[in-house]
Amino acid sequence: MATTGHGSQGPLTGVRVVELAGIGPGPFAAMLLADLGADVVRVDRPGGPVIGIDPAFDLTNRNKRSVLVDLKAESGAGQVLDLVERADVLIEGYRPGVAERLGVGPDACLERNPRLVYGRMTGWGQDGPLAGRAGHDIGYIALTGTLSMIGRAGEPPTVPANLVGDYAGGSLYLVVGVLAALQHARTPGGSGQVVDAAIVDGAAHLATMIHGMLAAGSWQDRRGSNLLDGGCPFYGSYETSDGLHMAVGALEPRFYEEFAELLGLGDEAPDRNDSGRWEELRALVADRFSTRTRAEWTEVFEGTDACVAPVLSLREAPGHPHLAARSTYVEHGGLTQPAPAPRFSATPVSVRSAPALPGADTEAVAADWGVPGLLTTGKETTL
């Protein structure tokens, strides 16, 4: 189904967002706003996609529309500012100073539209000694102490894909900031402003509870030594006889009792409260799990409060009965993908359109947003 920019599409219906094409957390944040109903127009650059993936499969561009603008051309900045004048939000993920050099920095945009929320997505932030440096998720979570918590004791930290930094510490904080600033802009006397969303800030903030536990002496500042980092034997993953894995999260005593009974630990199991014998208990738990397949253990724990689940692969997850019943994953245009989240009772959200192809929606956007001066160059259309 094509995105028209009209109709009830979620709680952000009517909100207009300009996204300056980038990679990683910026596009994901814009996707989330689009999933929630915003009319997101992605400003793509001529010459192909920003990342090496077929645009038809780039799911972070679903529910959006795309126009092509060459920001290095003489008219490029003016074309973007024409969109900005009619927008509520702009999202960019350039290094500090780049947007300003291109003529679409905060000053230029807010002069054109004083109520604009200008969202900036970076790894290091807009200021500080590292602000101008290149970086990636792993470096951001390394400096904030987040990476140090992940992995087994005595082993190098485990890299958690780029979910913790880019998307949790980056995209989600940018979205929260944008929505808060949008609320302010729409109040009597409110105004637009700049939202500086740095992955290092968000990744540090995510660990607030851990810092409290550290201060209280209930968290050890070394990985693989605590309740929630795989240090304890009843919060971790174990290999089954078929080389697959089960995840155990039986933290509370009553859940642990059910877990121990179903696993068949027996009276010889060490006291779970004796951390000095955790390695002994871990070996016993591992030995028990190694006696059956993942499917067999899944059946054993099915329907119980033992807090045990099979570790599913990305391709397996959509077929799980619970996730299937909730339609946690949906298929759109032949692509299986996570459904928009969270859910709303009065303004339901959905995947409305396939990933926007670069420049495919220029004419529609120009008409809907009232932006004059549509130019056509070869097969590519540009505002």
Side-chain angles (χ1 to χ4, degrees):
M1 179 172 66
T3 303
T4 64
H6 302 289
S8 179
Q9 302 166 340
L12 293 185
T13 296
V15 173
R16 287 179 168 178
V17 178
V18 174
E19 175 199 353
L20 302 184
I23 60 175
F28 186 84
M31 181 206 75
L32 181 50
L33 294 173
D35 283 354
L36 299 182
D39 182 10
V40 176
V41 172
R42 178 177 168 95
V43 178
D44 280 300
R45 65 194 67 177
V50 179
I51 58 174
I53 179 176
D54 185 337
F57 293 92
D58 187 354
L59 291 173
T60 62
N61 286 330
R62 72 186 186 190
N63 289 339
K64 302 178 183 179
R65 300 192 284 178
S66 171
V67 299
L68 286 178
V69 174
D70 184 358
L71 274 169
K72 294 183 179 179
E74 184 177 350
S75 62
Q79 293 162 353
V80 170
L81 291 175
D82 285 343
L83 288 171
V84 164
E85 184 176 340
R86 296 155 174 82
D88 301 290
V89 176
L90 179 141
I91 287 177
E92 61 95 355
Y94 301 136
R95 288 200 206 187
V98 172
E100 286 83 349
R101 291 197 296 273
L102 292 172
V104 292
D107 290 345
C109 289
L110 287 166
E111 181 179 358
R112 182 70 73 92
N113 181 355
R115 287 186 176 270
L116 180 75
V117 173
Y118 194 105
R120 316 198 80 169
M121 181 77 265
T122 61
W124 305 115
Q126 295 299 314
D127 54 40
L130 297 178
R133 290 269 301 275
H136 289 288
D137 177 290
I138 192 169
Y140 310 139
I141 65 174
L143 283 196
T144 58
T146 308
L147 184 60
S148 75
M149 296 188 291
I150 305 171
R152 292 195 175 279
E155 297 180 6
T158 298
V159 180
N162 66 328
L163 302 178
V164 176
D166 281 351
Y167 298 122
S171 304
L172 299 188
Y173 278 84
L174 176 59
V175 169
V176 170
V178 162
L179 294 180
L182 186 61
Q183 167 67 14
H184 170 74
R186 292 186 166 188
T187 58
S191 62
Q193 62 181 303
V194 177
V195 178
D196 175 6
I199 295 172
V200 288
D201 295 345
H205 191 263
L206 286 169
T208 300
M209 182 192 76
I210 304 297
H211 279 278
M213 296 173 68
L214 183 65
S218 57
W219 186 277
Q220 303 302 311
D221 195 13
R222 57 181 186 275
R223 64 183 162 278
S225 306
N226 301 281
L227 280 177
L228 300 174
D229 64 358
C232 80
F234 41 91
Y235 197 85
S237 58
Y238 292 90
E239 187 173 353
T240 55
S241 65
D242 51 353
L244 301 176
H245 296 85
M246 298 294 290
V248 177
L251 288 176
E252 293 80 1
R254 66 189 183 93
F255 300 149
Y256 178 81
E257 289 176 8
E258 190 167 0
F259 161 71
E261 180 180 352
L262 291 171
L263 189 66
L265 288 182
D267 296 335
E268 74 276 14
D271 182 356
R272 64 170 243 149
N273 295 313
D274 185 355
S275 60
R277 300 186 66 187
W278 272 1
E279 287 307 312
E280 183 183 346
L281 179 56
R282 189 192 316 279
L284 183 59
V285 172
D287 182 65
R288 290 294 301 144
F289 271 116
S290 69
T291 62
R292 300 187 188 183
T293 65
R294 187 186 69 177
E296 290 172 330
W297 281 120
T298 299
E299 185 176 356
V300 168
F301 291 105
E302 191 75 28
T304 74
D305 279 341
C307 300
V308 178
V311 178
L312 303 181
S313 71
L314 291 174
R315 294 190 184 280
E316 290 176 315
H320 187 274
H322 180 79
L323 303 183
R326 287 184 55 80
S327 297
T328 299
Y329 294 86
V330 297
E331 184 174 320
H332 187 282
L335 298 177
T336 298
Q337 55 197 283
R343 306 178 187 205
F344 301 84
S345 61
T347 53
V349 296
S350 65
V351 178
R352 306 181 305 277
S353 64
L357 301 181
D361 308 291
T362 303
E363 292 186 27
V365 171
D368 291 347
W369 285 38
V371 179
L374 183 67
L375 301 176
T376 303
T377 305
K379 294 184 179 180
E380 297 180 341
T381 51
T382 309
L383 282 176

